[in-house]
Structures are given as C-alpha cells and as structure tokens.
Amino acid sequence: MAVSTPGEWETAVVERQLEDLSLGDGIKFKSASKIEQDQYLFLRVLWPNRRPIEHFNPTALGLPTTATADLAKNKDWVSLIDHAAKGFYEIIGERYQENIVAGGKSNEGGDETEDGKDETTGFQPPPATSESPEEEEIRLANLIQHGADSDNEESWEATPAPQGPWGSPLVREPDESGSYEEYEKIDDENIVNIALILLLQAVCLRAPDMGATTWTPQRKAFDFKVPGNGKAKATDLFSACVDGHLSLGTSDDAPSLAIIEVQARDRKTADPRMQESAQMAAWINSQPDNKTKSGKYQRLMISQDNRDCFLIIAEYDQDYVDYILQNEVGKKKIKKPFMSMQEYGPFQPGAPGHIKHLCYAILAFTQQLNKYAEKGHPCRWTLS
C-alpha cells in the first residue's frame, strides 16, 4: 500500500524494521508489477491525496493555452467533442460494437432511416428542445452526476456545473463510493491500452509542434541498476515494463518523454500505485535527467484504469536522482529525499467536459515535451 506523507513512510519503515537498510542492501526485488511493500518503501515515493480535475491548473504547471485553439482547427476533433459533451459517445461506441458482433458492416456514410435512426449504430437522435446549449450542458451534467428520477423534479434542477481547468463546465469527480469504482472488469488489458493509445495519437495527429515525437504502444522495459562496490559491476535490481510511451523518434534507444500504464480494473480495485512508483523510479534510473540550475524535475505518466484516465505528475530533485542512482557526490553522504507523485482525475469518458479537458492537457503536454526535448531536456515541459 502506498503512503502519502513522510510521517507515514517513517512509521511503515520502523514497523517493518527497515531503518538500517537501503537500495542494494541485499533486498530482492521482483518486476515492477510484482513489487511488494518493502521494495516500494526503499524507492521513497509519496502519493499525496488525489486531486479532482478542477484542481488541474495548466498555467501553474507551465503549459501553454494554445492547445485549445490547435484542437479547435480540427473538424474531426470538434465532431468528437460534440458527441462526448452530450453523453452520446459511449452509446454510439457500444451500439457500433453490438452491430459488428452481430455481423453488421460499418456505415461510414452515416445512412439514416426515415425516422432519423442510424442503421449501423441504432442510435436515435434526441428530439429537438428549446434549451440553450448552456442549459442543456448544465442539465446533462446534473443528469450524469446525480442520475435521473422521473418522480423527482429536483433531480433536473439546473444548478451550475463547476468550471474546469480550461474554462468550461464539467462534472465533479465522484467520491470514494462514486461510479468510477463500479465498472465491470474488462476482459483484456490490451483493449484499454489500444483505446488510450488511439486517443493520444488522434489528439496529436494534425497538431503543430509535434516534431519527431510519437505516442507508441511499445512495451518498453526500464532496468533499474545500482552500482557495485569498488570494481564490481552494476547490479540489476529490477525491470519495469510500461504499456506505452511518448517516444522521441522511432529507434529502439530513443528517449521516452512520458510513460503509460493501464489496468483492466478500476483504480481502487487494481491499486497500481506501488507498481507505478517502481516504473517511474526505473525510468529515472535508466534515463537520468540532464541537470538544471534549479535542480528540480518533473515527469509525466498517463494511467488509464478501466475507463477512467488519470494524469500523474512526478516531482523530485537532484538529491532524489542521486539516491536513485546511488551516486556519491564528492564526500557528501547520499541524502534520502522523496519523490512525490500527484494524480489528477478521474477523467471519465461519459461525463460532460472530461474528454475535452483531458485532450487539451494531452496536446499541451506533448507539444511542450517535444519542445524541450529538442533543446536537450527530455522529459521536461518547463525548466522552472
């Protein structure tokens, strides 16, 4: 189980009698996906409380606001968001899959029957209403957040939806008993992986300032090594495979600018934080940061658990890099700092505004990561 504060970490270390041990002290690691509590604690990773989407501040994170305009120029993007904002995106996808399973064929022309019903998807457009777009968005937000009750008019009351980080309404993320933890497990994790990769690639497909970067489903492995004593060779402590990454180029040794992790189950059930900690630490160990004047660093992980997406930002400093690499900096004793992994989400595909905000963030991160990688600072989207 991951810990949130240095105090929780200290308590766990004392309880497990690990105070006098450190990385490389004979601790046997398994792969990142099999990591156990003791190994996780040696990585010194903290997970502060998850922050909801409306607390994601792109400006404070150094992200440009041009992503909104870049995506607005893409007609396919506008069409996608029109469906997603109205809550129709999942319905269309489900009906389409039902038709394919039943032996139907894709109807790219969008032929409709006389009553306006799409023959391929079986989707029936809703009747026209006198609602303004703003009133409809608020009503749909409340419908998804609170549910519809035909016998209770209060469930349709138009209360203002909260503002998202990019300036338009969205539904508040659910609490610990919310619907995002009630999804049925997806049979094959690859389905989740493919869905996320396709979304990432689609968002960036026609956008400017992409350079040589590309989102790829390559299951890249990062080996975590610790130096040997004296002339002894370095020791492989464990290996961490990710479910995809943002690659700077197509060669096998191209640096990764961001990494991806997916789970077939929801985040509460899968509880992937210790695994994600190991993946982040192994990535840093395999591809250390180029030093900056500030000595502070950030990296991005995108995690999709069942249908929900999370943006995870790792923050750490040069002391943490030295700890992970087990560097002896002169005669200075290696410090034991922490890395913080802050998660934002869940971004839910069926909730108004969520996909829009997620895609804005994805494009902004990708453009900035490419920009700084070309300047010799891979994994960075700001140097502050």
Side-chain angles (χ1 to χ4, degrees), residues 3 16 23 35 45 54 72 93 102 107-108 114 170 195 219 247 254 269 274-275 285 307 360 362 371:
V3 296
R16 305 180 80 86
L23 280 172
I35 189 171
V45 179
E54 55 263 37
N107 186 355
E108 295 181 358
E114 292 182 0
L170 52 76
R219 289 182 55 80
S247 178
T269 305
M274 291 199 303
Q275 176 182 346
N285 181 280
R307 289 184 289 179
Y360 286 153
I362 288 169
K371 173 183 175 180

Coordinates of all heavy atoms in Angstrom, one line a residue, residues 3 16 23 35 45 54 72 93 102 107-108 114 170 195 219 247 254 269 274-275 285 307 360 362 371:
V3 N 2.1 5.2 0.5 CA 1.9 6.1 1.6 C 1.9 7.5 1.1 O 2.4 7.8 0.0 CB 3.1 6.0 2.6 CG1 3.1 4.6 3.3 CG2 4.4 6.2 1.9
R16 N 8.4 -2.3 9.8 CA 8.9 -3.4 9.0 C 10.4 -3.6 9.3 O 11.0 -4.4 8.6 CB 8.6 -3.2 7.5 CG 7.1 -2.9 7.3 CD 6.8 -2.7 5.8 NE 6.8 -4.0 5.1 CZ 5.8 -4.8 5.0 NH1 4.6 -4.5 5.5 NH2 5.8 -5.9 4.3
L23 N 18.8 0.9 -0.7 CA 18.8 0.3 -2.0 C 20.1 -0.5 -2.2 O 21.2 0.0 -1.9 CB 18.8 1.4 -3.1 CG 17.4 2.0 -3.4 CD1 17.6 3.2 -4.3 CD2 16.5 1.0 -4.0
I35 N 5.9 -5.8 -7.4 CA 6.6 -5.1 -6.3 C 5.8 -5.3 -5.0 O 4.6 -5.3 -5.0 CB 6.8 -3.6 -6.6 CG1 7.7 -3.0 -5.5 CG2 5.4 -2.9 -6.7 CD1 8.1 -1.6 -5.9
V45 N 8.7 6.9 -2.4 CA 7.8 7.6 -3.2 C 6.5 7.9 -2.4 O 6.0 7.0 -1.8 CB 7.4 6.8 -4.5 CG1 6.4 7.5 -5.3 CG2 8.6 6.4 -5.3
E54 N -10.8 19.8 -11.6 CA -10.9 21.3 -11.5 C -9.7 21.9 -10.8 O -9.5 23.1 -10.8 CB -12.2 21.7 -10.9 CG -12.5 21.2 -9.5 CD -13.4 20.0 -9.6 OE1 -13.3 19.2 -10.5 OE2 -14.3 19.9 -8.7
A72 N -9.2 23.1 -31.9 CA -10.5 23.7 -32.5 C -10.4 23.7 -34.0 O -11.4 23.8 -34.7 CB -10.7 25.1 -31.9
G93 N -20.5 4.2 -29.5 CA -19.4 3.1 -29.5 C -20.0 1.8 -29.1 O -19.7 0.8 -29.8
A102 N -22.8 -8.6 -34.3 CA -24.0 -9.2 -34.9 C -23.8 -9.5 -36.4 O -24.6 -10.0 -37.0 CB -25.2 -8.4 -34.7
N107 N -20.9 1.7 -41.5 CA -21.6 2.5 -42.4 C -21.0 3.9 -42.3 O -21.4 4.8 -41.6 CB -23.1 2.6 -42.0 CG -23.9 3.4 -43.0 OD1 -23.4 3.9 -44.0 ND2 -25.2 3.4 -42.8
E108 N -19.9 4.1 -43.0 CA -19.1 5.3 -42.9 C -19.9 6.5 -43.5 O -19.7 7.6 -43.2 CB -17.8 5.2 -43.7 CG -16.9 4.2 -43.0 CD -15.6 4.1 -43.7 OE1 -15.4 4.8 -44.7 OE2 -14.7 3.3 -43.3
E114 N -35.9 6.7 -42.3 CA -36.8 7.8 -42.4 C -37.0 8.5 -41.1 O -37.3 9.7 -41.0 CB -38.1 7.3 -43.0 CG -38.0 6.9 -44.4 CD -39.3 6.5 -45.0 OE1 -40.3 6.6 -44.2 OE2 -39.4 6.1 -46.2
L170 N -17.7 21.2 -16.2 CA -17.5 19.8 -16.2 C -18.2 19.2 -14.9 O -18.6 19.9 -14.0 CB -16.0 19.4 -16.2 CG -15.1 20.0 -15.2 CD1 -15.2 19.4 -13.8 CD2 -13.7 19.8 -15.7
A195 N -7.2 1.5 -26.7 CA -8.1 2.7 -26.6 C -7.4 4.0 -26.2 O -7.6 5.0 -26.8 CB -9.3 2.4 -25.6
R219 N 5.9 -1.8 -25.4 CA 6.1 -2.2 -24.0 C 7.6 -2.1 -23.7 O 8.3 -3.0 -23.6 CB 5.5 -3.6 -23.8 CG 4.0 -3.6 -23.8 CD 3.5 -5.0 -23.5 NE 4.0 -5.5 -22.3 CZ 3.5 -5.2 -21.1 NH1 2.5 -4.4 -21.0 NH2 4.0 -5.7 -20.0
S247 N 7.6 8.7 -27.5 CA 9.0 8.4 -27.9 C 9.5 9.6 -28.8 O 8.8 10.1 -29.6 CB 9.0 7.1 -28.7 OG 10.3 6.9 -29.2
A254 N 15.6 5.4 -28.5 CA 15.0 6.7 -28.4 C 14.5 7.0 -27.0 O 13.9 6.2 -26.4 CB 13.9 6.9 -29.4
T269 N -9.7 -1.0 -7.2 CA -9.5 -2.4 -7.1 C -8.1 -2.8 -7.5 O -7.5 -3.6 -6.9 CB -10.5 -3.1 -8.1 OG1 -11.9 -2.7 -7.7 CG2 -10.4 -4.6 -8.0
M274 N 1.9 1.4 -6.2 CA 3.3 0.9 -5.9 C 4.0 0.5 -7.3 O 5.2 0.7 -7.4 CB 3.2 -0.3 -5.0 CG 2.8 0.1 -3.5 SD 3.3 -1.2 -2.3 CE 2.5 -2.7 -2.9
Q275 N 3.2 -0.2 -8.2 CA 3.8 -0.5 -9.5 C 4.2 0.7 -10.2 O 5.3 0.8 -10.8 CB 2.7 -1.3 -10.2 CG 3.2 -1.7 -11.7 CD 2.2 -2.4 -12.5 OE1 1.2 -2.9 -11.9 NE2 2.3 -2.5 -13.8
N285 N 16.1 6.1 -13.3 CA 17.3 5.4 -13.2 C 17.9 5.1 -14.6 O 19.1 5.2 -14.8 CB 17.1 4.1 -12.4 CG 18.4 3.3 -12.2 OD1 18.9 2.6 -13.1 ND2 19.0 3.4 -11.0
R307 N -12.1 2.4 -17.5 CA -12.5 3.5 -18.4 C -12.0 4.9 -18.0 O -12.1 5.9 -18.7 CB -14.0 3.6 -18.5 CG -14.6 2.4 -19.3 CD -16.1 2.6 -19.5 NE -16.8 2.4 -18.3 CZ -18.1 2.5 -18.1 NH1 -18.8 2.8 -19.2 NH2 -18.7 2.2 -17.0
Y360 N -7.1 18.5 -24.2 CA -6.3 19.7 -24.1 C -5.0 19.5 -23.4 O -3.9 20.0 -23.8 CB -7.1 20.8 -23.4 CG -8.3 21.4 -24.2 CD1 -9.4 21.9 -23.5 CD2 -8.3 21.4 -25.6 CE1 -10.4 22.5 -24.3 CE2 -9.3 21.9 -26.3 CZ -10.4 22.5 -25.6 OH -11.5 23.0 -26.3
I362 N -3.4 16.6 -22.8 CA -2.5 15.7 -23.6 C -1.8 16.5 -24.7 O -0.5 16.3 -24.8 CB -3.4 14.6 -24.2 CG1 -3.8 13.6 -23.1 CG2 -2.5 13.9 -25.3 CD1 -4.9 12.6 -23.6
K371 N 9.1 20.2 -27.4 CA 9.9 21.4 -27.5 C 11.1 21.4 -26.7 O 12.2 21.7 -27.1 CB 9.0 22.6 -27.0 CG 9.7 23.9 -26.8 CD 8.7 25.0 -26.3 CE 9.5 26.3 -26.0 NZ 8.5 27.3 -25.4

